[in-house]
Structure formats: C-alpha cells, structure tokens
Short mmCIF file of all heavy atoms in Angstrom, two decimals:
data_model
loop_
_atom_site.label_atom_id
_atom_site.label_comp_id
_atom_site.label_asym_id
_atom_site.label_seq_id
_atom_site.Cartn_x
_atom_site.Cartn_y
_atom_site.Cartn_z
N MET V 1 -100.34 -96.41 -128.60
CA MET V 1 -100.87 -95.80 -127.31
C MET V 1 -100.40 -96.67 -126.14
O MET V 1 -100.52 -97.84 -126.12
CB MET V 1 -102.36 -95.74 -127.33
CG MET V 1 -102.98 -95.09 -126.22
SD MET V 1 -104.75 -94.89 -126.46
CE MET V 1 -105.03 -93.39 -125.73
N THR V 2 -99.91 -96.00 -125.11
CA THR V 2 -99.39 -96.71 -123.95
C THR V 2 -100.58 -97.00 -122.96
O THR V 2 -101.59 -96.29 -122.94
CB THR V 2 -98.23 -95.88 -123.21
OG1 THR V 2 -98.93 -94.63 -122.77
CG2 THR V 2 -97.25 -95.60 -124.12
N ALA V 3 -100.34 -98.04 -122.18
CA ALA V 3 -101.38 -98.42 -121.17
C ALA V 3 -101.39 -97.41 -120.11
O ALA V 3 -100.36 -96.78 -119.73
CB ALA V 3 -101.07 -99.76 -120.59
N PRO V 4 -102.55 -97.13 -119.47
CA PRO V 4 -102.66 -96.13 -118.34
C PRO V 4 -101.82 -96.67 -117.10
O PRO V 4 -101.64 -97.84 -116.98
CB PRO V 4 -104.09 -96.11 -117.97
CG PRO V 4 -104.70 -97.33 -118.65
CD PRO V 4 -103.85 -97.71 -119.74
N VAL V 5 -101.28 -95.72 -116.46
CA VAL V 5 -100.48 -96.08 -115.30
C VAL V 5 -101.41 -96.58 -114.14
O VAL V 5 -102.51 -96.04 -113.94
CB VAL V 5 -99.75 -94.78 -114.68
CG1 VAL V 5 -98.95 -95.07 -113.50
CG2 VAL V 5 -98.83 -94.26 -115.85
N ARG V 6 -101.08 -97.69 -113.54
CA ARG V 6 -101.88 -98.30 -112.46
C ARG V 6 -101.17 -98.19 -111.22
O ARG V 6 -100.03 -98.68 -111.03
CB ARG V 6 -102.09 -99.79 -112.82
CG ARG V 6 -102.97 -100.44 -111.88
CD ARG V 6 -103.31 -101.90 -112.34
NE ARG V 6 -103.98 -102.57 -111.28
CZ ARG V 6 -103.78 -103.79 -110.95
NH1 ARG V 6 -102.94 -104.51 -111.66
NH2 ARG V 6 -104.46 -104.39 -109.96
N TYR V 7 -101.80 -97.44 -110.27
CA TYR V 7 -101.22 -97.23 -108.90
C TYR V 7 -101.69 -98.33 -107.99
O TYR V 7 -102.93 -98.71 -108.02
CB TYR V 7 -101.60 -95.89 -108.41
CG TYR V 7 -101.07 -94.72 -109.28
CD1 TYR V 7 -101.83 -94.08 -110.19
CD2 TYR V 7 -99.70 -94.33 -109.08
CE1 TYR V 7 -101.39 -93.04 -110.95
CE2 TYR V 7 -99.21 -93.31 -109.96
CZ TYR V 7 -100.09 -92.69 -110.82
OH TYR V 7 -99.60 -91.60 -111.58
N GLN V 8 -100.80 -98.73 -107.17
CA GLN V 8 -101.12 -99.77 -106.13
C GLN V 8 -101.78 -99.15 -104.92
O GLN V 8 -102.56 -99.82 -104.24
CB GLN V 8 -99.92 -100.59 -105.78
CG GLN V 8 -99.39 -101.42 -106.88
CD GLN V 8 -98.14 -102.19 -106.36
OE1 GLN V 8 -97.54 -101.86 -105.44
NE2 GLN V 8 -97.93 -103.26 -107.09
N TYR V 9 -101.35 -97.90 -104.56
CA TYR V 9 -101.90 -97.32 -103.35
C TYR V 9 -102.38 -95.86 -103.66
O TYR V 9 -101.97 -95.24 -104.64
CB TYR V 9 -100.71 -97.08 -102.31
CG TYR V 9 -99.99 -98.42 -102.08
CD1 TYR V 9 -98.71 -98.62 -102.59
CD2 TYR V 9 -100.69 -99.43 -101.27
CE1 TYR V 9 -98.05 -99.88 -102.35
CE2 TYR V 9 -99.97 -100.60 -101.16
CZ TYR V 9 -98.68 -100.84 -101.61
OH TYR V 9 -98.07 -102.02 -101.40
N LEU V 10 -103.39 -95.45 -102.86
CA LEU V 10 -103.92 -94.09 -103.02
C LEU V 10 -102.99 -93.05 -102.45
O LEU V 10 -102.60 -92.07 -103.15
CB LEU V 10 -105.26 -93.95 -102.34
CG LEU V 10 -106.46 -94.74 -102.93
CD1 LEU V 10 -107.61 -94.63 -102.03
CD2 LEU V 10 -106.71 -94.25 -104.33
N ILE V 11 -102.52 -93.27 -101.17
CA ILE V 11 -101.58 -92.35 -100.56
C ILE V 11 -100.21 -93.04 -100.53
O ILE V 11 -99.26 -92.51 -101.14
CB ILE V 11 -102.12 -92.02 -99.10
CG1 ILE V 11 -103.49 -91.35 -99.31
CG2 ILE V 11 -101.15 -91.05 -98.50
CD1 ILE V 11 -104.18 -91.11 -97.96
N SER V 12 -100.07 -94.11 -99.68
CA SER V 12 -98.84 -94.88 -99.59
C SER V 12 -99.24 -96.19 -98.94
O SER V 12 -100.45 -96.36 -98.59
CB SER V 12 -97.82 -94.12 -98.70
OG SER V 12 -98.21 -93.98 -97.45
N ARG V 13 -98.33 -97.04 -98.79
CA ARG V 13 -98.68 -98.30 -98.17
C ARG V 13 -99.24 -98.27 -96.75
O ARG V 13 -100.28 -98.82 -96.46
CB ARG V 13 -97.38 -99.14 -98.15
CG ARG V 13 -97.60 -100.56 -97.71
CD ARG V 13 -96.33 -101.33 -97.78
NE ARG V 13 -96.59 -102.73 -97.60
CZ ARG V 13 -95.79 -103.74 -97.89
NH1 ARG V 13 -94.67 -103.46 -98.50
NH2 ARG V 13 -96.12 -104.94 -97.60
N THR V 14 -98.65 -97.47 -95.90
CA THR V 14 -99.24 -97.20 -94.58
C THR V 14 -100.23 -96.15 -94.52
O THR V 14 -101.08 -96.11 -93.76
CB THR V 14 -98.08 -96.97 -93.53
OG1 THR V 14 -97.35 -95.85 -93.97
CG2 THR V 14 -97.19 -98.23 -93.41
N GLY V 15 -100.12 -95.11 -95.41
CA GLY V 15 -101.00 -94.04 -95.44
C GLY V 15 -102.41 -94.50 -95.79
O GLY V 15 -103.40 -93.92 -95.17
N ASP V 16 -102.58 -95.48 -96.61
CA ASP V 16 -103.91 -95.98 -96.96
C ASP V 16 -104.64 -96.52 -95.71
O ASP V 16 -105.78 -96.38 -95.50
CB ASP V 16 -103.85 -97.04 -98.06
CG ASP V 16 -103.64 -96.35 -99.43
OD1 ASP V 16 -103.64 -95.12 -99.55
OD2 ASP V 16 -103.52 -97.22 -100.43
N ILE V 17 -103.81 -97.33 -95.01
CA ILE V 17 -104.45 -97.98 -93.71
C ILE V 17 -104.80 -96.88 -92.63
O ILE V 17 -105.88 -96.94 -92.12
CB ILE V 17 -103.36 -98.91 -93.06
CG1 ILE V 17 -103.09 -100.02 -94.13
CG2 ILE V 17 -103.83 -99.46 -91.75
CD1 ILE V 17 -101.89 -100.88 -93.78
N VAL V 18 -103.91 -95.94 -92.45
CA VAL V 18 -104.19 -94.89 -91.49
C VAL V 18 -105.47 -94.08 -91.97
O VAL V 18 -106.34 -93.77 -91.17
CB VAL V 18 -102.97 -93.98 -91.36
CG1 VAL V 18 -103.33 -92.69 -90.50
CG2 VAL V 18 -101.92 -94.66 -90.64
N PHE V 19 -105.41 -93.78 -93.24
CA PHE V 19 -106.58 -92.95 -93.83
C PHE V 19 -107.87 -93.66 -93.64
O PHE V 19 -108.88 -93.16 -93.23
CB PHE V 19 -106.32 -92.66 -95.29
CG PHE V 19 -107.43 -91.94 -95.99
CD1 PHE V 19 -107.62 -90.58 -95.68
CD2 PHE V 19 -108.21 -92.59 -96.87
CE1 PHE V 19 -108.66 -89.91 -96.37
CE2 PHE V 19 -109.27 -91.96 -97.53
CZ PHE V 19 -109.51 -90.60 -97.24
N SER V 20 -107.87 -95.05 -93.98
CA SER V 20 -109.16 -95.79 -93.94
C SER V 20 -109.57 -95.94 -92.56
O SER V 20 -110.75 -95.82 -92.18
CB SER V 20 -109.06 -97.19 -94.63
OG SER V 20 -108.08 -97.90 -93.91
N PHE V 21 -108.67 -96.18 -91.57
CA PHE V 21 -109.04 -96.30 -90.15
C PHE V 21 -109.56 -94.99 -89.62
O PHE V 21 -110.57 -94.97 -88.95
CB PHE V 21 -107.78 -96.63 -89.37
CG PHE V 21 -108.00 -96.84 -87.88
CD1 PHE V 21 -108.61 -98.01 -87.49
CD2 PHE V 21 -107.65 -95.88 -87.00
CE1 PHE V 21 -108.89 -98.19 -86.08
CE2 PHE V 21 -107.90 -96.09 -85.63
CZ PHE V 21 -108.64 -97.21 -85.20
N THR V 22 -108.98 -93.81 -90.00
CA THR V 22 -109.46 -92.52 -89.64
C THR V 22 -110.87 -92.21 -90.11
O THR V 22 -111.71 -91.82 -89.37
CB THR V 22 -108.46 -91.46 -90.01
OG1 THR V 22 -107.14 -91.71 -89.52
CG2 THR V 22 -108.92 -90.03 -89.49
N VAL V 23 -111.08 -92.44 -91.42
CA VAL V 23 -112.33 -92.18 -92.00
C VAL V 23 -113.47 -93.08 -91.32
O VAL V 23 -114.52 -92.65 -91.06
CB VAL V 23 -112.27 -92.45 -93.56
CG1 VAL V 23 -113.68 -92.43 -94.18
CG2 VAL V 23 -111.48 -91.37 -94.15
N GLY V 24 -113.05 -94.40 -91.17
CA GLY V 24 -114.10 -95.33 -90.57
C GLY V 24 -114.44 -94.87 -89.15
O GLY V 24 -115.52 -94.94 -88.72
N THR V 25 -113.41 -94.52 -88.39
CA THR V 25 -113.69 -94.08 -87.04
C THR V 25 -114.52 -92.84 -86.90
O THR V 25 -115.45 -92.69 -86.04
CB THR V 25 -112.33 -93.83 -86.26
OG1 THR V 25 -111.49 -94.98 -86.35
CG2 THR V 25 -112.53 -93.36 -84.83
N LEU V 26 -114.20 -91.84 -87.79
CA LEU V 26 -114.99 -90.65 -87.86
C LEU V 26 -116.43 -90.89 -88.31
O LEU V 26 -117.40 -90.27 -87.79
CB LEU V 26 -114.33 -89.63 -88.74
CG LEU V 26 -113.01 -89.00 -88.20
CD1 LEU V 26 -112.34 -88.09 -89.29
CD2 LEU V 26 -113.26 -88.21 -86.94
N ALA V 27 -116.66 -91.81 -89.25
CA ALA V 27 -117.97 -92.09 -89.71
C ALA V 27 -118.76 -92.84 -88.54
O ALA V 27 -119.94 -92.51 -88.41
CB ALA V 27 -117.83 -92.96 -90.95
N TYR V 28 -118.13 -93.65 -87.79
CA TYR V 28 -118.76 -94.37 -86.70
C TYR V 28 -119.27 -93.28 -85.65
O TYR V 28 -120.34 -93.39 -85.25
CB TYR V 28 -117.78 -95.32 -85.96
CG TYR V 28 -118.24 -95.71 -84.67
CD1 TYR V 28 -119.28 -96.70 -84.60
CD2 TYR V 28 -117.61 -95.33 -83.52
CE1 TYR V 28 -119.69 -97.07 -83.24
CE2 TYR V 28 -117.96 -95.66 -82.28
CZ TYR V 28 -119.13 -96.55 -82.13
OH TYR V 28 -119.41 -96.94 -80.88
N PHE V 29 -118.31 -92.42 -85.27
CA PHE V 29 -118.73 -91.45 -84.31
C PHE V 29 -119.74 -90.40 -84.79
O PHE V 29 -120.66 -89.97 -83.94
CB PHE V 29 -117.52 -90.78 -83.72
CG PHE V 29 -116.72 -91.50 -82.74
CD1 PHE V 29 -115.41 -91.94 -83.05
CD2 PHE V 29 -117.25 -91.97 -81.52
CE1 PHE V 29 -114.77 -92.81 -82.18
CE2 PHE V 29 -116.49 -92.74 -80.63
CZ PHE V 29 -115.30 -93.13 -81.02
N THR V 30 -119.64 -90.06 -85.99
CA THR V 30 -120.69 -89.23 -86.62
C THR V 30 -122.09 -89.88 -86.57
O THR V 30 -123.15 -89.29 -86.26
CB THR V 30 -120.34 -88.80 -88.00
OG1 THR V 30 -119.18 -88.08 -88.02
CG2 THR V 30 -121.44 -87.89 -88.60
N ASN V 31 -122.10 -91.14 -86.88
CA ASN V 31 -123.39 -91.88 -86.90
C ASN V 31 -123.86 -92.08 -85.44
O ASN V 31 -125.13 -91.94 -85.21
CB ASN V 31 -123.13 -93.22 -87.50
CG ASN V 31 -124.35 -94.07 -87.56
OD1 ASN V 31 -125.39 -93.60 -87.95
ND2 ASN V 31 -124.33 -95.35 -87.18
N GLU V 32 -122.96 -92.34 -84.46
CA GLU V 32 -123.48 -92.52 -83.11
C GLU V 32 -123.98 -91.17 -82.58
O GLU V 32 -124.97 -91.20 -81.81
CB GLU V 32 -122.31 -92.91 -82.23
CG GLU V 32 -121.90 -94.33 -82.41
CD GLU V 32 -122.93 -95.30 -81.80
OE1 GLU V 32 -123.26 -95.19 -80.68
OE2 GLU V 32 -123.33 -96.16 -82.54
N ARG V 33 -123.44 -90.08 -83.07
CA ARG V 33 -123.89 -88.80 -82.53
C ARG V 33 -125.21 -88.40 -83.22
O ARG V 33 -126.13 -87.85 -82.50
CB ARG V 33 -122.89 -87.61 -82.85
CG ARG V 33 -123.25 -86.30 -82.27
CD ARG V 33 -122.32 -85.33 -82.75
NE ARG V 33 -122.51 -85.11 -84.27
CZ ARG V 33 -121.63 -84.63 -85.14
NH1 ARG V 33 -120.47 -84.35 -84.69
NH2 ARG V 33 -121.92 -84.54 -86.37
N ASP V 34 -125.45 -88.69 -84.43
CA ASP V 34 -126.65 -88.28 -85.22
C ASP V 34 -127.70 -89.30 -85.17
O ASP V 34 -128.84 -88.93 -85.51
CB ASP V 34 -126.28 -87.93 -86.59
CG ASP V 34 -125.31 -86.71 -86.72
OD1 ASP V 34 -125.28 -85.94 -85.78
OD2 ASP V 34 -124.62 -86.59 -87.76
N ASN V 35 -127.51 -90.47 -84.81
CA ASN V 35 -128.49 -91.52 -84.89
C ASN V 35 -129.42 -91.39 -83.66
O ASN V 35 -128.96 -91.60 -82.56
CB ASN V 35 -127.78 -92.93 -84.93
CG ASN V 35 -128.69 -94.00 -85.26
OD1 ASN V 35 -129.89 -93.87 -85.33
ND2 ASN V 35 -128.07 -95.26 -85.49
N PRO V 36 -130.76 -91.37 -83.96
CA PRO V 36 -131.64 -91.16 -82.84
C PRO V 36 -131.79 -92.54 -82.02
O PRO V 36 -132.03 -92.53 -80.84
CB PRO V 36 -132.99 -90.87 -83.44
CG PRO V 36 -132.87 -91.23 -84.81
CD PRO V 36 -131.38 -91.11 -85.21
N ARG V 37 -131.56 -93.67 -82.68
CA ARG V 37 -131.58 -94.90 -81.89
C ARG V 37 -130.46 -94.96 -80.89
O ARG V 37 -130.50 -95.50 -79.78
CB ARG V 37 -131.44 -96.08 -82.91
CG ARG V 37 -132.66 -96.41 -83.65
CD ARG V 37 -132.60 -97.44 -84.55
NE ARG V 37 -131.67 -98.54 -84.17
CZ ARG V 37 -131.34 -99.55 -84.88
NH1 ARG V 37 -131.87 -99.67 -86.05
NH2 ARG V 37 -130.42 -100.44 -84.46
N ALA V 38 -129.28 -94.45 -81.21
CA ALA V 38 -128.17 -94.43 -80.29
C ALA V 38 -128.46 -93.58 -79.03
O ALA V 38 -127.95 -93.92 -78.09
CB ALA V 38 -126.92 -93.92 -81.10
N LYS V 39 -129.29 -92.66 -79.21
CA LYS V 39 -129.51 -91.87 -78.03
C LYS V 39 -130.53 -92.40 -77.04
O LYS V 39 -130.72 -92.03 -75.97
CB LYS V 39 -130.19 -90.49 -78.47
CG LYS V 39 -129.20 -89.62 -79.25
CD LYS V 39 -129.74 -88.39 -79.83
CE LYS V 39 -128.71 -87.72 -80.64
NZ LYS V 39 -129.26 -86.54 -81.33
N ASN V 40 -131.21 -93.55 -77.46
CA ASN V 40 -132.17 -94.28 -76.58
C ASN V 40 -131.53 -95.58 -76.05
O ASN V 40 -132.26 -96.59 -75.94
CB ASN V 40 -133.38 -94.60 -77.43
CG ASN V 40 -134.19 -93.42 -77.85
OD1 ASN V 40 -134.14 -92.36 -77.19
ND2 ASN V 40 -134.79 -93.40 -79.03
N GLY V 41 -130.27 -95.55 -75.86
CA GLY V 41 -129.61 -96.63 -75.23
C GLY V 41 -129.27 -97.78 -76.17
O GLY V 41 -129.16 -98.91 -75.81
N LYS V 42 -129.18 -97.53 -77.42
CA LYS V 42 -128.86 -98.45 -78.53
C LYS V 42 -127.54 -98.08 -79.22
O LYS V 42 -127.48 -98.18 -80.44
CB LYS V 42 -129.96 -98.63 -79.46
CG LYS V 42 -131.29 -99.22 -78.86
CD LYS V 42 -132.24 -99.50 -79.80
CE LYS V 42 -133.47 -100.09 -79.16
NZ LYS V 42 -134.50 -100.51 -80.18
N THR V 43 -126.54 -97.68 -78.48
CA THR V 43 -125.29 -97.46 -79.11
C THR V 43 -124.63 -98.82 -79.54
O THR V 43 -125.04 -99.80 -78.98
CB THR V 43 -124.30 -96.69 -78.16
OG1 THR V 43 -123.96 -97.42 -77.07
CG2 THR V 43 -124.82 -95.30 -77.81
N LEU V 44 -123.70 -98.76 -80.36
CA LEU V 44 -123.00 -99.95 -80.85
C LEU V 44 -122.38 -100.73 -79.71
O LEU V 44 -122.51 -101.93 -79.64
CB LEU V 44 -121.94 -99.64 -81.92
CG LEU V 44 -121.29 -100.78 -82.50
CD1 LEU V 44 -122.27 -101.75 -83.17
CD2 LEU V 44 -120.13 -100.32 -83.46
N VAL V 45 -121.78 -100.02 -78.77
CA VAL V 45 -121.14 -100.70 -77.61
C VAL V 45 -122.18 -101.39 -76.82
O VAL V 45 -121.95 -102.59 -76.42
CB VAL V 45 -120.38 -99.70 -76.79
CG1 VAL V 45 -119.77 -100.25 -75.48
CG2 VAL V 45 -119.20 -99.06 -77.63
N GLU V 46 -123.28 -100.76 -76.53
CA GLU V 46 -124.35 -101.40 -75.74
C GLU V 46 -124.96 -102.54 -76.40
O GLU V 46 -125.20 -103.59 -75.87
CB GLU V 46 -125.45 -100.33 -75.40
CG GLU V 46 -124.91 -99.20 -74.43
CD GLU V 46 -125.87 -98.12 -74.23
OE1 GLU V 46 -126.78 -97.96 -75.19
OE2 GLU V 46 -125.74 -97.39 -73.30
N LEU V 47 -125.20 -102.40 -77.73
CA LEU V 47 -125.71 -103.57 -78.51
C LEU V 47 -124.73 -104.75 -78.51
O LEU V 47 -125.27 -105.91 -78.33
CB LEU V 47 -126.12 -103.10 -79.93
CG LEU V 47 -127.24 -102.11 -80.19
CD1 LEU V 47 -127.31 -101.65 -81.51
CD2 LEU V 47 -128.55 -102.70 -79.65
N MET V 48 -123.54 -104.53 -78.69
CA MET V 48 -122.52 -105.61 -78.69
C MET V 48 -122.42 -106.15 -77.21
O MET V 48 -122.25 -107.49 -77.13
CB MET V 48 -121.15 -105.07 -79.10
CG MET V 48 -121.09 -104.78 -80.55
SD MET V 48 -119.61 -103.94 -81.13
CE MET V 48 -118.32 -104.83 -80.37
N SER V 49 -122.56 -105.39 -76.31
CA SER V 49 -122.45 -105.89 -74.82
C SER V 49 -123.62 -106.75 -74.62
O SER V 49 -123.51 -107.87 -73.97
CB SER V 49 -122.44 -104.75 -73.86
OG SER V 49 -122.50 -105.20 -72.54
N ARG V 50 -124.91 -106.38 -74.98
CA ARG V 50 -126.05 -107.22 -74.88
C ARG V 50 -125.95 -108.57 -75.56
O ARG V 50 -126.31 -109.61 -75.08
CB ARG V 50 -127.33 -106.51 -75.20
CG ARG V 50 -127.76 -105.52 -74.16
CD ARG V 50 -129.10 -105.01 -74.39
NE ARG V 50 -128.89 -103.64 -75.06
CZ ARG V 50 -129.74 -103.02 -75.78
NH1 ARG V 50 -130.98 -103.42 -76.02
NH2 ARG V 50 -129.46 -101.85 -76.32
N ARG V 51 -125.47 -108.48 -76.79
CA ARG V 51 -125.32 -109.71 -77.65
C ARG V 51 -124.33 -110.62 -77.01
O ARG V 51 -124.55 -111.86 -76.92
CB ARG V 51 -124.70 -109.30 -79.05
CG ARG V 51 -124.34 -110.40 -79.88
CD ARG V 51 -125.53 -111.20 -80.37
NE ARG V 51 -125.05 -112.18 -81.34
CZ ARG V 51 -125.64 -113.34 -81.58
NH1 ARG V 51 -126.85 -113.55 -80.97
NH2 ARG V 51 -125.12 -114.13 -82.42
N ARG V 52 -123.22 -110.12 -76.41
CA ARG V 52 -122.21 -110.96 -75.78
C ARG V 52 -122.76 -111.60 -74.46
O ARG V 52 -122.57 -112.75 -74.26
CB ARG V 52 -121.00 -110.10 -75.39
CG ARG V 52 -119.83 -110.91 -74.76
CD ARG V 52 -118.79 -109.94 -74.50
NE ARG V 52 -118.17 -110.38 -73.17
CZ ARG V 52 -118.54 -110.28 -72.03
NH1 ARG V 52 -119.80 -109.76 -71.80
NH2 ARG V 52 -117.95 -110.64 -70.97
N GLN V 53 -123.56 -110.87 -73.80
CA GLN V 53 -124.23 -111.41 -72.60
C GLN V 53 -125.17 -112.52 -72.88
O GLN V 53 -125.26 -113.56 -72.20
CB GLN V 53 -124.95 -110.26 -71.83
CG GLN V 53 -125.48 -110.70 -70.52
CD GLN V 53 -124.29 -111.16 -69.57
OE1 GLN V 53 -123.26 -110.52 -69.53
NE2 GLN V 53 -124.53 -112.33 -68.88
N ARG V 54 -125.96 -112.40 -73.99
CA ARG V 54 -126.81 -113.50 -74.49
C ARG V 54 -126.11 -114.72 -74.82
O ARG V 54 -126.53 -115.80 -74.48
CB ARG V 54 -127.68 -112.97 -75.67
CG ARG V 54 -128.93 -112.18 -75.27
CD ARG V 54 -129.75 -112.06 -76.49
NE ARG V 54 -129.08 -111.42 -77.62
CZ ARG V 54 -129.46 -110.37 -78.21
NH1 ARG V 54 -130.53 -109.73 -77.85
NH2 ARG V 54 -128.77 -109.92 -79.25
N ILE V 55 -124.93 -114.55 -75.54
CA ILE V 55 -124.11 -115.73 -75.85
C ILE V 55 -123.65 -116.39 -74.60
O ILE V 55 -123.66 -117.67 -74.50
CB ILE V 55 -122.98 -115.28 -76.73
CG1 ILE V 55 -123.50 -114.80 -78.13
CG2 ILE V 55 -121.99 -116.40 -76.91
CD1 ILE V 55 -122.49 -114.16 -78.99
N VAL V 56 -123.16 -115.61 -73.62
CA VAL V 56 -122.66 -116.15 -72.31
C VAL V 56 -123.76 -116.91 -71.59
O VAL V 56 -123.61 -118.02 -71.12
CB VAL V 56 -121.97 -115.10 -71.51
CG1 VAL V 56 -121.76 -115.57 -70.06
CG2 VAL V 56 -120.77 -114.60 -72.11
N ASP V 57 -124.93 -116.33 -71.56
CA ASP V 57 -126.13 -116.92 -70.80
C ASP V 57 -126.48 -118.25 -71.57
O ASP V 57 -126.75 -119.25 -70.84
CB ASP V 57 -127.31 -115.95 -70.85
CG ASP V 57 -127.10 -114.75 -69.98
OD1 ASP V 57 -126.16 -114.84 -69.16
OD2 ASP V 57 -127.81 -113.76 -70.12
N ARG V 58 -126.51 -118.25 -72.81
CA ARG V 58 -126.92 -119.51 -73.59
C ARG V 58 -125.84 -120.58 -73.23
O ARG V 58 -126.21 -121.77 -73.07
CB ARG V 58 -127.01 -119.26 -75.05
CG ARG V 58 -128.31 -118.70 -75.45
CD ARG V 58 -128.37 -118.69 -76.98
NE ARG V 58 -129.03 -117.49 -77.38
CZ ARG V 58 -128.63 -116.71 -78.41
NH1 ARG V 58 -127.55 -117.06 -79.06
NH2 ARG V 58 -129.27 -115.65 -78.72
N ARG V 59 -124.60 -120.25 -73.29
CA ARG V 59 -123.42 -121.10 -73.00
C ARG V 59 -123.65 -121.69 -71.63
O ARG V 59 -123.51 -122.89 -71.30
CB ARG V 59 -122.17 -120.49 -73.24
CG ARG V 59 -120.98 -121.42 -73.11
CD ARG V 59 -119.66 -120.73 -73.33
NE ARG V 59 -119.70 -119.99 -74.58
CZ ARG V 59 -119.02 -118.77 -74.72
NH1 ARG V 59 -118.40 -118.36 -73.75
NH2 ARG V 59 -119.08 -118.18 -75.91
N GLU V 60 -123.93 -120.83 -70.62
CA GLU V 60 -124.11 -121.29 -69.26
C GLU V 60 -125.37 -122.20 -69.10
O GLU V 60 -125.31 -123.21 -68.37
CB GLU V 60 -124.30 -120.06 -68.36
CG GLU V 60 -124.40 -120.33 -66.93
CD GLU V 60 -123.03 -120.86 -66.35
OE1 GLU V 60 -122.01 -120.63 -66.94
OE2 GLU V 60 -123.07 -121.45 -65.31
N GLN V 61 -126.42 -121.92 -69.87
CA GLN V 61 -127.56 -122.80 -69.73
C GLN V 61 -127.32 -124.16 -70.27
O GLN V 61 -127.74 -125.13 -69.71
CB GLN V 61 -128.81 -122.22 -70.45
CG GLN V 61 -129.36 -120.97 -69.86
CD GLN V 61 -130.45 -120.30 -70.67
OE1 GLN V 61 -130.61 -120.72 -71.87
NE2 GLN V 61 -131.09 -119.31 -70.07
N ARG V 62 -126.58 -124.28 -71.42
CA ARG V 62 -126.21 -125.55 -71.95
C ARG V 62 -125.31 -126.32 -70.96
O ARG V 62 -125.43 -127.53 -70.83
CB ARG V 62 -125.44 -125.44 -73.33
CG ARG V 62 -126.39 -125.07 -74.49
CD ARG V 62 -125.72 -125.15 -75.74
NE ARG V 62 -124.72 -124.02 -75.81
CZ ARG V 62 -124.62 -123.17 -76.80
NH1 ARG V 62 -125.38 -123.33 -77.82
NH2 ARG V 62 -123.71 -122.26 -76.71
N ARG V 63 -124.36 -125.63 -70.36
CA ARG V 63 -123.43 -126.30 -69.35
C ARG V 63 -124.20 -126.86 -68.21
O ARG V 63 -123.99 -127.99 -67.80
CB ARG V 63 -122.40 -125.32 -68.94
CG ARG V 63 -121.34 -125.90 -68.09
CD ARG V 63 -120.29 -124.94 -67.57
NE ARG V 63 -120.86 -124.00 -66.66
CZ ARG V 63 -121.12 -124.21 -65.40
NH1 ARG V 63 -120.92 -125.41 -64.86
NH2 ARG V 63 -121.60 -123.24 -64.62
N LEU V 64 -125.22 -126.01 -67.73
CA LEU V 64 -125.99 -126.48 -66.60
C LEU V 64 -126.91 -127.71 -67.00
O LEU V 64 -127.13 -128.61 -66.29
CB LEU V 64 -126.74 -125.33 -66.11
CG LEU V 64 -126.08 -124.32 -65.39
CD1 LEU V 64 -126.98 -123.13 -65.01
CD2 LEU V 64 -125.37 -124.79 -64.10
N ALA V 65 -127.40 -127.61 -68.26
CA ALA V 65 -128.23 -128.74 -68.75
C ALA V 65 -127.44 -130.04 -68.83
O ALA V 65 -128.03 -131.09 -68.54
CB ALA V 65 -128.88 -128.39 -69.98
N LYS V 66 -126.22 -129.94 -69.23
CA LYS V 66 -125.37 -131.17 -69.39
C LYS V 66 -124.99 -131.77 -67.98
O LYS V 66 -124.92 -132.94 -67.82
CB LYS V 66 -124.00 -130.84 -70.11
CG LYS V 66 -124.27 -130.74 -71.61
CD LYS V 66 -122.94 -130.42 -72.26
CE LYS V 66 -123.16 -130.25 -73.75
NZ LYS V 66 -121.86 -130.00 -74.48
N GLU V 67 -124.82 -130.82 -66.98
CA GLU V 67 -124.51 -131.26 -65.68
C GLU V 67 -125.72 -131.99 -64.92
O GLU V 67 -125.47 -132.85 -64.23
CB GLU V 67 -124.01 -130.00 -64.84
CG GLU V 67 -122.71 -129.49 -65.11
CD GLU V 67 -122.30 -128.36 -64.31
OE1 GLU V 67 -123.13 -127.86 -63.44
OE2 GLU V 67 -121.22 -127.80 -64.49
N GLU V 68 -126.89 -131.57 -65.31
CA GLU V 68 -128.15 -132.16 -64.80
C GLU V 68 -128.28 -133.61 -65.28
O GLU V 68 -128.95 -134.37 -64.66
CB GLU V 68 -129.30 -131.29 -65.05
CG GLU V 68 -129.24 -129.97 -64.17
CD GLU V 68 -130.46 -129.17 -64.51
OE1 GLU V 68 -131.27 -129.47 -65.37
OE2 GLU V 68 -130.43 -128.05 -63.93
N GLN V 69 -127.83 -133.86 -66.43
CA GLN V 69 -128.12 -135.15 -67.10
C GLN V 69 -127.33 -136.22 -66.52
O GLN V 69 -126.61 -136.44 -65.85
CB GLN V 69 -127.73 -135.13 -68.60
CG GLN V 69 -128.74 -134.22 -69.28
CD GLN V 69 -128.34 -134.16 -70.86
OE1 GLN V 69 -127.36 -134.72 -71.24
NE2 GLN V 69 -129.18 -133.52 -71.56
#
C-alpha cells in the first residue's frame, strides 16, 4: 500500500496567503458589524487607540517623574 499524498498548500503558495487574509478580513468586518459592543464605541480600532494612548500617557508620566528627581 502506498503512502497518502501529502500536499504542502491548499490552493497555491501565494493563494493560501491571499485566501487566509481575505477570510480573516471578512471575519473581522462581520464581527464588527454584528457585535453589539462594537456599536457602543468599542470597535477594535477605538480599543487599540485607547490602549495606545494609555501606553503613551504612562511613558510620559515616567519621563516627567525622572525629570523631577
């Protein structure tokens, strides 16, 4: 009995990347559209923006604390 054929790619080398990117993007937008939290100002972009702002604020507070010493 011969060994089963093992494929390296589902579609093709670049097709797999394009396919996965497309599916991920569509899943993200579907989730953003249907998610009730996203409709209340909690979209992924807004959450990431707030997180980034907190990091910048903490960094600024540490810098000011070092300058005061």
Side-chain angles (χ1 to χ4, degrees):
M1 181 173 218
T2 61
V5 178
R6 184 171 170 220
Y7 296 101
Q8 292 180 338
Y9 307 106
L10 292 174
I11 299 170
S12 68
R13 188 173 184 163
T14 55
D16 283 355
I17 296 168
V18 171
F19 177 73
S20 62
F21 182 77
T22 303
V23 168
T25 303
L26 290 173
Y28 164 75
F29 284 113
T30 301
N31 183 47
E32 287 288 308
R33 186 188 66 206
D34 296 339
N35 191 350
R37 285 179 29 185
K39 295 176 184 173
N40 295 327
K42 293 187 178 182
T43 63
L44 181 61
V45 173
E46 291 169 343
L47 292 173
M48 288 173 45
S49 174
R50 281 189 263 163
R51 170 74 174 151
R52 186 183 141 286
Q53 188 60 44
R54 277 194 304 238
I55 291 170
V56 169
D57 291 342
R58 280 191 217 131
R59 188 179 305 145
E60 186 67 20
Q61 287 174 355
R62 282 189 294 230
R63 188 182 63 80
L64 291 173
K66 284 183 181 181
E67 288 179 358
E68 290 176 0
Q69 292 178 358

